[in-house]
Amino acid sequence: MARVDLLSVLREAELDGIRCGGPVILAGFVIGVGLVQVAAGPLGLASRNICELVILLVLHLVGPLVITALALVQLAPTWLQRVEQRGLAAWRTSVPAAALVAPFLLVIFLISALTSGVLFTPREDLVGEFGEVLASLQLHSLLLTWVRSSFFFAIICGWSLHHSEKCLLRRQPPAEIASELVGRGIVLLMVLKFAWLVLATPISLN
């Protein structure tokens, strides 16, 4: 049974990752270009400072928020469907799958942001600076960010499954439930993000 559950978790994580991958890549591309252009233009930052700004914002502030919000929009109907089919037993696979896929989405988002930033930067020395700054990231800080991202992703997923179950018991239309999941889920995400900003330690660089 444990093996079957593990395979189900991995399968759902793969499907969820595929559903969210495209929007995450696109969002990372757009945000990466915007951050680099603003930092290099109006702010006039040095290349290394631009690299540090992009990486810290993507990993610590923008990235977890964006990937979780996009996942909520993309997966809310899927989570609702799983509850319709399996009830709250969907928790056993969907919540672990959400926690598992979050770090991969964050890495994809970072790679997309850095790639777009390098491609559209007006500074030739930015490529080397990105490599140096990435190498200076402390591993434990990076791992902590991944853990927090997984934790928040799992909370959003678990809340969505629970709320879906309650709404189905009240016989609400599926379209109305999905809309509530997105709207209220975004509010919950903002609360979690505020707690993160207040309590979490920023990613540090050597």
Side-chain angles (χ1 to χ4, degrees):
M1 177 65 70
R3 182 180 178 183
V4 174
D5 288 342
L6 178 59
L7 291 176
S8 299
V9 169
L10 294 176
R11 189 178 302 111
E12 287 194 8
E14 179 183 8
L15 293 175
D16 292 349
I18 292 173
R19 291 188 181 98
C20 299
V24 167
I25 292 174
L26 180 60
F29 189 88
V30 173
I31 290 175
V33 173
L35 287 176
V36 170
Q37 293 293 332
V38 171
L43 296 181
L45 298 180
S47 296
R48 183 174 181 84
N49 292 335
I50 294 174
C51 300
E52 293 177 348
L53 176 66
V54 171
I55 292 173
L56 289 176
L57 285 179
V58 167
L59 286 180
H60 186 63
L61 181 63
V62 180
L65 179 66
V66 171
I67 66 168
T68 306
L70 289 175
L72 176 62
V73 174
Q74 293 292 116
L75 297 178
T78 301
W79 290 334
L80 173 59
Q81 185 179 31
R82 291 172 185 170
V83 173
E84 287 179 314
Q85 295 173 348
R86 306 198 303 266
L88 287 181
W91 274 64
R92 291 189 302 175
T93 54
S94 293
V95 173
L100 186 62
V101 78
F104 292 98
L105 293 177
L106 188 59
V107 170
I108 291 173
F109 185 84
L110 175 61
I111 293 174
S112 177
L114 293 180
T115 301
S116 64
V118 168
L119 289 176
F120 289 90
T121 182
R123 302 187 182 183
E124 297 179 356
D125 58 342
L126 199 58
V127 179
E129 292 287 359
F130 266 128
E132 293 180 7
V133 175
L134 282 173
S136 69
L137 279 173
Q138 295 184 1
L139 182 58
H140 76 276
S141 297
L142 190 57
L143 291 176
L144 184 59
T145 299
W146 285 341
V147 169
R148 286 169 177 161
S149 180
S150 295
F151 180 65
F152 291 140
F153 207 159
I155 287 178
I156 291 295
C157 177
W159 172 84
S160 297
L161 296 173
H162 178 69
H163 188 70
S164 296
E165 176 73 8
K166 291 198 305 182
C167 292
L168 288 173
L169 290 176
R170 294 198 297 264
R171 300 185 182 279
Q172 288 183 233
E176 182 179 331
I177 298 175
S179 177
E180 284 189 9
L181 290 179
V182 174
R184 297 185 182 181
I186 293 294
V187 175
L188 175 59
L189 179 58
M190 295 298 104
V191 173
L192 293 174
K193 190 60 184 178
F194 177 76
W196 183 351
L197 291 174
V198 171
L199 302 176
T201 302
I203 295 175
S204 58
L205 300 169
N206 290 330

